[in-house]
Amino acid sequence: MTMEVEIIYNNCIKPSSPTPFHLKIHDRSLLDQLAPFIYSPMILYYSNPGASNKTLLLKQSLSQTLTKFYPLAGKIRDDMSIECNDEGVLYSEARASVSLLEFLKHPNMITKIHELLPIKSLFHIPTSGSYVTMIQETTFGCGGFTIGINVLHSVMDGCALSAFLKVWGAMASNETDKKMMIPSFDSQSIFPKYKDVPKDVTIMALVSSFIRVEKMNAVRFVFNGSAIANLQEKVTSSGVKNPTRVEVVSALVSERLMAAFKSKYGNNNNYNPLAINHVVNIRRKTSPTIPECSMGNIACLADTILFGETQLSSLVFELKEAIAKINSGYVKNIQGEEGSLNFFKKIKEMKDAFTSPLFCSGVDYVMFTSWCGFGLYEVDFGWGKPVWTTCGGSYGNFKSPFFNLVVLMDARTRNDGIEAWVISDERTIVEIEKDEELLKYAYLNPTPIFH
């Protein structure tokens, strides 16, 4: 498939009302400081809306929404703060040369997804004065369209970005309930920033021992609801209590990644230990709970190390135990003025465990982040719900310093299914694409279905 995406117009969308003077500087919280200083991608796909004023309505409603989410319309001041100067969001209008259905049905679609985003490179580095948010509206030949957004990760996590998109959709469609959602930017008061953050406690420092400059690629596996239910039943019968769908999918993917690494290295008998970080949304783990519409990175890292070949139920148990440790007590311990020291200590302990000299044969690493349950398929701008959502997808084969990453997202048409996007080096992707154990439960890059 040859698909041309042409940018036909760029402009800035400013908030409909000016930001009050006392809110002109937005500081990052302690947890924001841990987040990688990159842009998070998200794409929503919509079938033909049948509306001639689509772009105008999207821009007008975005302007209204930015009044509530004012930091998104600012500029990066430095690595600690945002200048909320109302300069606006960069909004690009683009046209694709094919229909949305043609695009989604094509086998190589996964390598073209990045063209629907404002930032075409996975590792675009923000600088002082850069936009906090960039949006690309791409209209296809059939009238269908996509909304691709890149937002500075250190300003909001996946849950917060989902809340923003829901409010924007509500503003466009005049949906009263979500329209009234008021975002909170108080995370800095709950998790105060620390001016002298040790250089060895950021995400990139944590994984620096595992980063290699290699040719990277991505693959997408889709688990339908019945396959996940089978996995849950399987591990429950082995004594694991109440395994979640995210836990069983994460454990299975971890198991198959270990096998892929073993095959790639040519190890006939030995598996390297696998160090795992799983991002955990802590909004519901605080007392009182933090609202869904709280902005920032309200998340922590669960950690565990898996050793050798073992039963899936054991892997689920290990992962479940690690996630369970991120509880209300953990969160309380990292709050307030003293919390930062406790937080840095925990990150240091995690890094030391992952890089222990006991692992003389080496250790592999993978990070999981789950966007499941964030309600992205509820984002309706007035022309129906998305036919698909993706976190950005594959950028094709690209050479970059990177580590193994798995992004889990809801699968809209597969009854509580999950899409697992695996990003790794090219050789690992080749191995995992042909993994028969994984393919017993998951479809390899199936065509998204319109319903």
Side-chain angles (χ1 to χ4, degrees), residues 415-426:
N415 302 319
D416 291 326
I418 287 179
E419 295 199 1
W421 292 76
V422 181
I423 302 172
S424 187
D425 65 273
E426 191 176 34

Side-chain angles (χ1 to χ4, degrees), residues 21-309:
F21 182 78
H22 69 283
L23 298 176
K24 287 294 186 182
I25 300 297
H26 173 68
D27 287 324
R28 299 168 68 191
S29 73
L30 173 68
L31 300 183
D32 293 334
Q33 290 176 277
L34 178 68
F37 201 63
I38 59 174
Y39 288 99
S40 295
M42 172 55 60
I43 307 173
L44 307 178
Y45 302 73
Y46 295 88
S47 56
N48 190 346
S52 58
N53 63 342
K54 168 176 60 74
T55 299
L56 178 61
L57 182 57
L58 287 170
K59 289 180 176 181
Q60 288 176 341
S61 56
L62 175 60
S63 179
Q64 294 171 320
T65 306
L66 290 173
T67 299
K68 295 183 176 186
F69 294 82
Y70 55 92
L72 299 191
K75 291 290 184 71
I76 297 171
R77 186 185 186 204
D78 50 41
D79 60 0
M80 298 286 284
S81 60
I82 302 299
E83 184 178 358
C84 306
N85 55 13
D86 297 336
E87 287 194 18
V89 167
L90 178 64
Y91 194 97
S92 301
E93 299 169 45
R95 293 198 180 279
S97 59
V98 299
S99 72
L100 183 58
L101 183 58
E102 284 180 285
F103 173 70
L104 295 180
K105 286 178 67 176
H106 199 277
N108 294 330
M109 165 269 295
I110 193 172
T111 66
K112 300 288 185 179
I113 286 178
H114 63 283
E115 296 184 27
L116 306 176
L117 287 164
I119 297 177
K120 316 305 179 189
S121 169
L122 186 60
F123 277 90
H124 179 90
I125 305 299
T127 57
S128 177
S130 297
Y131 289 98
V132 173
T133 312
M134 288 162 276
I135 294 172
Q136 180 176 316
E137 173 201 338
T138 304
T139 301
F140 287 75
C142 59
F145 70 100
T146 58
I147 297 294
I149 181 169
N150 288 105
V151 63
L152 189 65
H153 195 323
S154 58
V155 172
M156 55 172 52
D157 58 12
C159 185
L161 176 54
S162 301
F164 163 72
L165 290 168
K166 288 179 200 173
V167 175
W168 180 16
M171 286 289 188
S173 61
N174 205 25
E175 184 182 350
T176 304
D177 290 346
K178 291 187 179 69
K179 191 174 175 181
M180 300 305 291
M181 288 174 66
I182 305 297
S184 167
F185 291 92
D186 295 336
S187 61
Q188 210 279 327
S189 63
I190 304 172
F191 306 100
K193 71 177 181 180
Y194 193 78
K195 291 184 178 179
D196 299 314
V197 178
K199 292 183 178 181
D200 60 350
V201 298
T202 64
I203 286 286
M204 297 311 292
L206 179 64
V207 303
S208 60
S209 299
F210 310 103
I211 289 179
R212 300 178 297 274
V213 177
E214 292 197 38
K215 201 171 186 180
M216 309 301 295
N217 210 333
V219 64
R220 166 177 161 261
F221 295 97
V222 180
F223 299 78
N224 64 29
S226 60
I228 294 173
N230 288 340
L231 286 168
Q232 290 173 306
E233 183 179 354
K234 180 178 180 180
V235 300
T236 299
S237 65
S238 299
V240 180
K241 295 181 179 179
N242 303 317
T244 69
R245 61 191 185 118
V246 167
E247 288 165 354
V248 296
V249 169
S250 298
L252 180 62
V253 173
S254 297
E255 179 188 59
R256 304 326 306 161
L257 277 173
M258 290 178 77
F261 296 147
K262 177 186 174 185
S263 178
K264 180 182 71 172
Y265 299 144
N267 295 345
N268 294 323
N269 300 311
N270 299 321
Y271 288 83
N272 281 351
L274 181 64
I276 296 177
N277 272 142
H278 211 299
V279 181
V280 179
N281 181 5
I282 61 173
R283 286 169 176 79
R284 296 181 183 176
K285 296 180 179 290
T286 60
S287 183
T289 58
I290 297 175
E292 173 194 3
C293 214
S294 293
M295 298 297 104
N297 290 269
I298 319 294
C300 290
L301 296 176
D303 64 288
T304 190
I305 301 176
L306 304 180
F307 295 92
E309 189 171 13

